[in-house]
Amino acid sequence: MNSETFIYITLITTSGALNVLLFLYALADKTRSQTMKAFAGVTATAALYCFGTALQLASSTLGAIKLWISVAYLGMAFSPPFLLILVYRYTGADKWLSRRVAGLLFVIPAITCLLVATNDLHHLFYKSVFLRPDAPSPMADIIIGPWYIVHGAYTFGSMFLGACLLVGQWRTASTVYRKQVFTLFLGTMLPIIASFLYLMGLIPYNMDPVPFILIFTTSLYVWAIRTTDLFQVVPIARGYVFESIRDGVLVLDLAGRLVDYNPAARGMIPALSPERIGEELDSVWAEEPGSEKLPREMDGQGDSERTWRTRWRGKGEERYFEIRSLPVRSKNHRQVGRMLMLIDVTEHVRYEEKLLRLASYDGLTGIYNRAHFMEEARRLLAEAEGSRSALSLVLFDVDHFKNINDRLGHSAGDQALVHLVDICRSELLEGEILGRYGGEEFVLCLPGIGLAEAGRRTELIRAAIAGSALPTSAGPLRLTASFGVVEAGGAAAGYGLEPLLQAADQALYQAKAAGRNAVHYSQGIG
């Protein structure tokens, strides 16, 4: 063995040892991820390839050389499908890689290993294997057989497909992860180039250069693992999730400046653009007038998870977001920023508003229903008693409403109620509330107003109703209403809402008994 051969054997043995260490690293990985399992396969087969080639070069007889060629092919044949699976897992494209498909990837390599081991019986892989007479030490040369071509095409095809997947990911990967993609790309392309040079006869003594090239690819893997956490978090696959997730994601530094965002966030906030990277989020968020300011606590500081709900208005559209803020940490657990997840809850908020409206408002007229009116009136009554100010209640209903339904139909009756409510609304002042107390019965709460002023205001409403005709299919319909008014002060002071409404109801009954279309005052409670 000459010194050149010895140096080459030493180098590829070193490469094999490095791959053994990486194989042990992959086995020790606690995540047990599919990516690390594929990486274990790549490094194990690469180590077998290197050691088999080294022992082949160190052999002095043709029989021993053939034996170690068979061993080397156990690594050489199975390494490309393991590498392809690794790339599929890493790039997140493994949705196309079922267990059955993954198993089929190893069929041709298995046939190759069998044919190499039994080549003397059929010569399908090598037509001939012989010692080179011009070599400085015992080295084998070959004449290729038909299966050699099949195996070569399969090997090149697998590795080229892996390289294409990595090129596709390069275009979408963020800058921080491109070093990883490039590392895997070199690990795929360098053996392809070396094999091509070998097939072209450009390597001295026709020695296989791939094990030597594996020194560089293995070193690249070691570098990438130490500097970029290669395979630990499968960043390209996570980047795919980051790009495809339906919720908006904003990444901020500790100063509250925008670092990154995903397409969903861009769809939610049109002001986002690559040019805004580095700006404070507040300036981007407030691009459109009418948007609520972000909470002051959302400044990138703090290590806890928080949730807010805020309103954003842009391009005339009002949207609501639930914002979840989570800390972003480095490898040593130091907080380096925050990630904001924007969940569009606009439909949910509108549904809540609709439910609230159904629970609080009358479906026909749009005013408070009885339950919500009573709740609000109690609040106003308590405030009036606390401040010793006046408050009046007015109970009224439509005169002869049953006749309207019987003569013109319920549709006309509904129109009549809406018409009456519209007139009442036009007479109300800020802070005064109107509710539907029963079928055709309504109630007013007038805070800050005594009995005399409440009577005067009620008379205006009565006159407006009587003086306004409602167009119907049977001609103009003139409505009238009867009113009962009570004040919470004076003799009624300190009474609850229900006794006041009973007193207003008694006054309303008196207005009806007096001929309707009238306003009567309560004579007292009890």
Side-chain angles (χ1 to χ4, degrees), residues 189-260:
M189 287 303 299
L190 288 178
I192 292 178
I193 295 171
S195 298
F196 181 74
L197 295 176
Y198 173 75
L199 292 175
M200 295 294 292
L202 300 177
I203 305 300
Y205 304 112
N206 208 27
M207 295 174 62
D208 187 356
V210 175
F212 177 73
I213 292 297
L214 290 180
I215 298 174
F216 299 99
T217 59
T218 305
S219 300
L220 282 172
Y221 291 149
V222 172
W223 168 80
I225 287 170
R226 289 184 57 83
T227 60
T228 64
D229 288 332
L230 183 66
F231 308 134
Q232 286 298 317
V233 295
V234 196
I236 297 302
R238 291 195 177 190
Y240 175 79
V241 174
F242 181 77
E243 293 293 318
S244 60
I245 191 171
R246 295 176 61 184
D247 296 327
V249 179
L250 303 172
V251 183
L252 310 179
D253 62 16
L254 288 177
R257 294 185 294 259
L258 186 65
V259 175
D260 201 0

Side-chain angles (χ1 to χ4, degrees), residues 38 41-42 45-46 49 72-88 105-106 109 151-162 187-188 191-192 195 210:
V42 170
T45 52
Y49 184 13
Y73 260 95
L74 288 173
M76 183 195 309
F78 286 102
S79 186
F82 271 120
L83 184 59
L84 180 59
I85 291 173
L86 171 65
V87 172
Y88 265 108
L105 291 177
F106 294 96
H151 165 75
Y154 177 77
T155 299
F156 278 103
S158 298
M159 300 185 75
F160 185 72
L161 177 57
T188 304
I192 292 178
S195 298
V210 175

Side-chain angles (χ1 to χ4, degrees), residues 442-493:
F442 299 87
V443 61
L444 280 166
C445 182
L446 308 176
I449 294 179
L451 188 63
E453 177 62 15
R456 187 189 68 82
R457 295 273 308 283
T458 303
E459 182 61 36
L460 293 176
I461 294 174
R462 184 205 63 77
I465 294 172
S468 177
L470 172 66
T472 68
S473 58
L477 173 65
R478 293 195 174 275
L479 303 173
T480 61
S482 300
F483 299 79
V485 184
V486 65
E487 182 184 358

